[in-house]
Amino acid sequence: ETPLMSQIVRYLLRPLHWFKQDIHKRMAQMHHNLKLEAPFASIHVRYGDKSREAPRMPLPNYMTLLKKNRPDIKTVFISTETESVIHELQAHNPGYTFQHFNYARVEGSAPHKSTHLKHHDEFTMSFVNLLVAMQADL
């Protein structure tokens, strides 16, 4: 039963061809803006609708963990739907280089008609961010 269930789940969770192409196209278009060399860390800060499920982790905590676990890393890739997170991390952490993709971030979970396309972009970009994060050293 378990092997069958794992195959069904694998089949259901595979990305559709058009979505996979869209992710790789955006990655190719945007990756040239990043200057990431090993070693680098990746930080994902989910503040938007996540606050309904759990309290927000203070931003200094992310950097404390980085400094404790990998003091040698000074380049950080930021993934977030909250624009202010990027600015706050940059402002309060001199000595670190922060990299991120530039796109219209949408904080929240319920798309309105006028923001539907932006939510689709945010969803797609979350996977592009994930591809970069998977290459990180921390």
Side-chain angles (χ1 to χ4, degrees), residues 106 111-122:
V106 179
H112 303 291
K113 266 188 164 179
S114 62
T115 61
H116 178 71
L117 184 59
K118 288 181 183 176
H119 277 274
H120 172 74
D121 288 345
E122 179 73 31

Side-chain angles (χ1 to χ4, degrees), residues 64-72 138:
T64 298
L65 289 169
L66 170 61
K67 291 171 187 175
K68 178 183 175 189
N69 291 296
R70 287 297 301 267
D72 60 310
L138 178 70

Side-chain angles (χ1 to χ4, degrees), residues 38-132:
F40 75 94
S42 176
I43 294 177
H44 176 73
V45 180
R46 184 172 169 211
Y47 272 4
D49 61 348
K50 183 68 175 172
S51 61
R52 287 188 232 146
E53 301 170 15
R56 289 180 169 189
M57 185 167 135
L59 280 179
N61 291 15
Y62 290 89
M63 294 305 293
T64 298
L65 289 169
L66 170 61
K67 291 171 187 175
K68 178 183 175 189
N69 291 296
R70 287 297 301 267
D72 60 310
I73 294 179
K74 300 299 180 194
T75 302
V76 181
F77 175 73
I78 306 170
S79 170
T80 184
E81 74 279 5
T82 308
E83 190 73 31
S84 62
V85 164
I86 296 167
H87 303 298
E88 191 172 331
L89 283 171
Q90 290 172 327
H92 296 295
N93 295 285
Y96 286 86
T97 301
F98 293 94
Q99 300 284 318
H100 61 281
F101 288 122
N102 290 316
Y103 59 93
R105 287 172 167 75
V106 179
E107 189 171 339
S109 61
H112 303 291
K113 266 188 164 179
S114 62
T115 61
H116 178 71
L117 184 59
K118 288 181 183 176
H119 277 274
H120 172 74
D121 288 345
E122 179 73 31
F123 179 74
T124 305
M125 286 307 299
S126 68
F127 282 88
V128 174
N129 284 324
L130 179 61
L131 286 176
V132 174

